[in-house]
Amino acid sequence: MSEYEFLFEAKTGGGGETVICKMSYERDEDGAYAQNIESVLFEGKEVIGLISELQFSELELLGIDKLAKTIKEGEEYYE
């Protein structure tokens, strides 16, 4: 078990602003788990403390989905 990082781009807020999120996670033979957003950057500035709980939850769900797809695509590539 090792801790990994995953960067992804998402849109959030009333204006659909683009942010860059850094998610940490662990992975074993069954897949990724313990996913957690560590950072949310908007125009290069940290804004994780400025977003609502709802926005954070939406970003986290989006990140988990993107991570799962990325891992699956990587596994299909190596098969």
Side-chain angles (χ1 to χ4, degrees):
M1 295 183 298
S2 296
E3 188 166 309
Y4 299 89
E5 289 184 348
F6 176 66
L7 294 175
F8 66 95
E9 193 174 279
K11 293 193 180 290
T12 191
E17 301 298 334
T18 300
V19 294
I20 305 295
C21 300
K22 178 172 75 172
M23 175 178 275
S24 65
Y25 66 98
E26 294 185 32
R27 186 173 178 190
D28 61 14
E29 63 275 354
D30 295 324
Y33 64 96
Q35 300 94 330
N36 185 46
I37 292 180
E38 300 288 330
S39 175
V40 179
L41 297 175
F42 172 69
E43 295 182 350
K45 303 225 184 327
E46 182 60 57
V47 295
I48 197 166
L50 302 175
I51 62 175
S52 70
E53 284 186 46
L54 178 60
Q55 287 173 304
F56 184 84
S57 296
E58 289 171 348
L59 289 172
E60 198 165 47
L61 287 173
L62 180 63
I64 289 169
D65 185 52
K66 286 185 174 197
L67 175 60
K69 288 177 182 174
T70 299
I71 289 172
K72 183 175 178 139
E73 288 171 1
E75 289 172 353
E76 288 173 355
Y77 178 75
Y78 292 108
E79 289 182 340

